[in-house]
Amino acid sequence: MRDYDEVTAFLGRWGPFQRLVFFLLSASIVPNGFTGLSAVFLAASPEHRCAVPAAANLSAWWRNASIPRELVQGVEVASKCRRYRLDLLRDFSARGLRPGLDVNLSEVGTEKCLDGWTFSTDVYLSTIVSEWSLVCENDWKGPLASSLFFVGVLIGSFVSGQLSDRFGRKKVLFATMAVQTGFSIVQVFCTSWEAFAALFFIVGIGQISNYVAAFILGTEILDKSIRIIFATLGVCIFYAFGYMLLPFCAYFIRSWRILLLTLALPGLLCIPLWWVIPESPRWLITQGRTEEAEFILRKAAKQNGISAPAIIFDPAELQDLKSQLQSAHTYLDLFRTRDIRIITILSVLLWMVISVGYFGLSLNTPNLHGDPYLNCFLSAVIEVPAYIIAWLLLQALPRHYSMVGTLFLGGVVLLFLQLVPPDLNVISISLVMIGKFGVTSAFGMVYVYTAELYPTVVRNMGIGASSMASRLGSILAPYFIYLGAYDKFLPFILMGSMMVLIGIFTLFLPESYGRPLPETIEQTLKVKGIKYKLTSQSSRVTEENEYSPKVLSNTAL
């Protein structure tokens, strides 16, 4: 009995139809690069200090001395959250006393910023932090806004698979692009932090659902030989292009409302794609809509200049095809046997740590030394060679050694940051970028590696569970950066340590390179830890004959 790839092999691998689907689905990911990391500039915290109202009637001496100095990580800076008591300063000023000469400032009491704050406009004209004073006792609201976005991403990753299975890949793709674009535009008109955060949560739901739907649609339409390229050089590279455009736009648009509107509007350009991108024939078959699936395939054959066979789906094998593409398994099957249980636990930890490292380093770019726009652009640019390296490693080297190498590279350089002298900022930024390169390469490979570890019957659920763990990591990432307020090296030490540790654990995962894809839970690759030896070519051939694997199901790569 033929499988789906055999039935549709007449289309070829890389004709005009496949190229069009590849590039249009990849292009639909570009706005995700804007949205996913827009908080880097929307929620940036400008330099600030307590406001001293003109009504205080202070002399120039006392106005300049109204903010106390304090030590922050060994450096003396002006306080951001305290000022000297204005009633005392007003009295000293009226009596003609001078600060530091007639009055010992260390003996003058301090108070909170009762009249608000003055924010610097040297870097940002406005952000949600400066507009709604999300500093000092309210400084937790900035990271919370980012975390709520990623909470939406978590929920979106949970429901997107079910929605696309129920309503179709194409409908969910365009509906969630509309959610991402529409609610981003509504955010521009928010008058409170609470409304902004609530809408950011909804945007997060649309953002990941759009990404997942495009990813699934591409992997189901494209030939299995193209799926690894689509997963790395396709959606990932185009996401990086969107990410690169973010600091470019932010550099010329320093007001958060205009910037957000500018980033949201390109989503409208995806509307014409509705008439070009087809629905997944695989999904249509599972819904019994065989005629629609045949129409799409015949149209694709015509576009490729190929004559389609008179009968594409033989009625005798159609039911078998449907049973191959549908699954009756549950999430409990991810823990049924020892091997798949260990794979699930380690995959969940691996995805979570990679996500913490990736989003932690990405969101931290404004806190690095130097220009925040340049740092963000470098952080985006480094992703392009990272994904190219990921693709090359997937093509030529064992999976778990490639994963371990990139994780160790990223983790170790982050641990070395604390050893760099404070005056060598270029070296510090270079090490951060190397760390970002390592974790991004790991991110580019983990989709493919995880898909190869899980059997076909639970592959969709396995990737879904791992993806949800990744979203938990992205929720935690803003708070790793928040720890930098107490020690600037602490976020890097934590992220670096976690990446090295999970790299060691990854050695215990089985190797999937050159192995036939498991179809059933019983065929799950054996977990043999660091003693695992790559199967010889002859034994691989034997296993291929033994397993007789057929085809990747819905989300297989």
Side-chain angles (χ1 to χ4, degrees):
M1 191 67 68
R2 297 184 301 165
D3 59 39
Y4 179 84
D5 281 346
E6 288 181 275
V7 171
T8 59
F10 67 89
L11 287 176
R13 294 182 177 182
W14 192 236
F17 170 75
Q18 288 91 342
R19 291 196 292 270
L20 184 66
V21 170
F22 183 101
F23 288 109
L24 290 184
L25 286 177
S26 298
S28 73
I29 302 297
V30 171
N32 292 51
F34 301 152
T35 310
L37 295 163
S38 61
V40 168
F41 298 106
L42 300 180
S45 182
E47 289 295 321
H48 55 277
R49 55 185 290 180
C50 290
V52 178
N57 293 323
L58 298 180
S59 65
W61 284 344
W62 283 106
R63 181 172 293 277
N64 293 334
S66 60
I67 305 299
R69 309 287 292 181
E70 58 186 22
L71 286 177
V72 176
Q73 299 179 8
V75 179
E76 187 180 86
V77 297
S79 175
K80 297 180 178 181
C81 301
R82 307 289 296 183
R83 69 183 184 188
Y84 290 118
R85 289 178 52 185
L86 289 190
D87 56 340
L88 296 178
L89 300 189
R90 188 181 300 110
D91 178 61
F92 296 150
S93 179
R95 292 161 54 188
L97 303 179
R98 291 170 296 177
L101 297 177
D102 303 316
V103 178
N104 186 354
L105 292 176
S106 62
E107 299 178 358
V108 178
T110 62
E111 61 186 5
K112 295 181 180 180
C113 301
L114 302 178
D115 298 291
W117 290 263
T118 299
F119 291 90
S120 170
T121 57
D122 292 341
V123 180
Y124 312 101
L125 292 180
S126 70
T127 68
I128 64 170
V129 172
S130 62
E131 180 155 339
W132 294 312
S133 298
L134 308 182
V135 293
C136 299
E137 63 268 18
N138 289 321
D139 61 356
W140 55 272
K141 291 184 177 180
L144 181 58
S146 298
S147 289
L148 285 175
F149 171 84
F150 290 116
V151 170
V153 169
L154 170 64
I155 294 177
S157 65
F158 178 74
V159 302
S160 59
Q162 287 80 357
L163 289 175
S164 63
D165 286 342
R166 173 67 179 85
F167 300 103
R169 285 50 167 135
K170 180 178 177 179
K171 289 181 180 178
V172 171
L173 170 63
F174 285 92
T176 52
M177 282 196 294
V179 168
Q180 175 179 290
T181 302
F183 283 92
S184 293
I185 293 174
V186 175
Q187 273 186 295
V188 174
F189 305 99
C190 287
T191 57
S192 67
W193 171 82
E194 290 78 8
F196 179 91
L199 291 172
F200 216 18
F201 166 78
I202 299 174
V203 171
I205 295 176
Q207 195 258 3
I208 188 60
S209 299
N210 162 27
Y211 188 98
V212 171
F215 182 79
I216 294 176
L217 186 56
T219 55
E220 290 185 353
I221 292 178
L222 298 171
D223 183 82
K224 58 185 177 183
S225 63
I226 306 298
R227 289 169 193 155
I228 290 179
I229 302 177
F230 178 70
T232 52
L233 303 187
V235 293
C236 291
I237 291 290
F238 278 77
Y239 180 92
F241 287 159
Y243 184 12
M244 281 187 278
L245 290 173
L246 172 63
F248 178 81
C249 294
Y251 179 81
F252 293 101
I253 305 172
R254 305 294 179 100
S255 172
W256 77 266
R257 292 184 187 273
I258 301 176
L259 174 62
L260 181 56
L261 181 62
T262 303
L263 298 178
L265 290 179
L268 300 176
L269 298 177
C270 294
I271 294 176
L273 300 185
W274 171 266
W275 291 275
V276 183
I277 296 177
E279 181 56 272
S280 165
R282 289 177 185 257
W283 178 80
L284 291 171
I285 292 172
T286 66
Q287 304 301 304
R289 296 159 61 177
T290 311
E291 293 182 359
E292 294 179 54
E294 285 200 11
F295 176 79
I296 292 173
L297 293 174
R298 293 187 185 281
K299 184 177 179 180
K302 182 178 180 181
Q303 193 170 344
N304 284 351
I306 298 171
S307 297
I311 299 177
I312 297 179
F313 298 109
D314 188 335
E317 65 182 2
L318 188 58
Q319 187 59 40
D320 188 63
L321 270 176
K322 291 172 64 175
S323 64
Q324 288 177 22
L325 296 175
Q326 290 176 319
S327 173
H329 292 265
T330 68
Y331 279 97
L332 293 178
D333 289 305
L334 298 179
F335 300 91
R336 182 193 295 181
T337 66
R338 170 187 173 273
D339 291 318
I340 199 169
R341 184 163 53 247
I342 294 175
I343 287 173
T344 297
I345 293 172
L346 292 182
S347 294
V348 164
L349 293 175
L350 178 63
W351 281 62
M352 183 180 295
V353 171
I354 290 177
S355 185
V356 168
Y358 175 82
F359 286 103
L361 293 176
S362 299
L363 294 173
N364 191 52
T365 50
N367 300 325
L368 300 177
H369 295 286
D371 187 275
Y373 302 99
L374 178 60
N375 291 337
C376 184
F377 181 75
L378 292 175
S379 180
V381 168
I382 202 69
E383 293 196 4
V384 175
Y387 289 129
I388 294 175
I389 289 295
W391 173 65
L392 294 175
L393 292 175
L394 288 171
Q395 295 289 99
L397 295 178
R399 304 291 192 242
H400 71 321
Y401 290 135
S402 299
M403 290 291 299
V404 171
T406 54
L407 288 169
F408 268 52
L409 172 65
V412 170
V413 296
L414 294 182
L415 293 175
F416 276 136
L417 269 174
Q418 56 188 316
L419 305 179
V420 178
D423 55 328
L424 298 179
N425 296 331
V426 174
I427 295 180
S428 297
I429 294 176
S430 299
L431 290 179
V432 172
M433 295 306 161
I434 294 174
K436 178 69 184 297
F437 174 88
V439 73
T440 302
S441 295
F443 220 146
M445 291 186 289
V446 74
Y447 276 89
V448 175
Y449 188 28
T450 305
E452 293 175 344
L453 290 177
Y454 280 107
T456 297
V457 294
V458 294
R459 187 171 291 121
N460 192 27
M461 289 182 284
I463 293 179
S466 301
S467 180
M468 288 180 63
S470 172
R471 308 316 160 195
L472 288 174
S474 62
I475 292 171
L476 296 174
Y479 289 98
F480 274 75
I481 306 308
Y482 184 68
L483 294 174
Y486 303 96
D487 186 326
K488 64 181 181 179
F489 293 116
L490 185 57
F492 301 111
I493 293 173
L494 291 176
M495 289 187 289
S497 301
M498 291 170 63
M499 290 164 64
V500 170
L501 184 60
I502 198 60
I504 296 174
F505 285 156
T506 301
L507 288 170
F508 290 85
L509 286 170
E511 180 53 65
S512 62
Y513 178 66
R515 301 289 302 274
L517 289 169
E519 295 287 343
T520 65
I521 292 178
E522 289 71 24
Q523 294 177 358
T524 302
L525 299 177
K526 301 299 181 183
V527 176
K528 297 184 179 180
I530 58 176
K531 295 181 180 180
Y532 184 86
K533 295 182 179 179
L534 185 61
T535 306
S536 65
Q537 182 65 31
S538 60
S539 58
R540 282 203 297 269
V541 172
T542 302
E543 286 176 337
E544 286 186 21
N545 295 331
E546 177 185 351
Y547 287 165
S548 297
K550 296 200 174 2
V551 60
L552 292 173
S553 67
N554 293 2
T555 57
L557 301 180

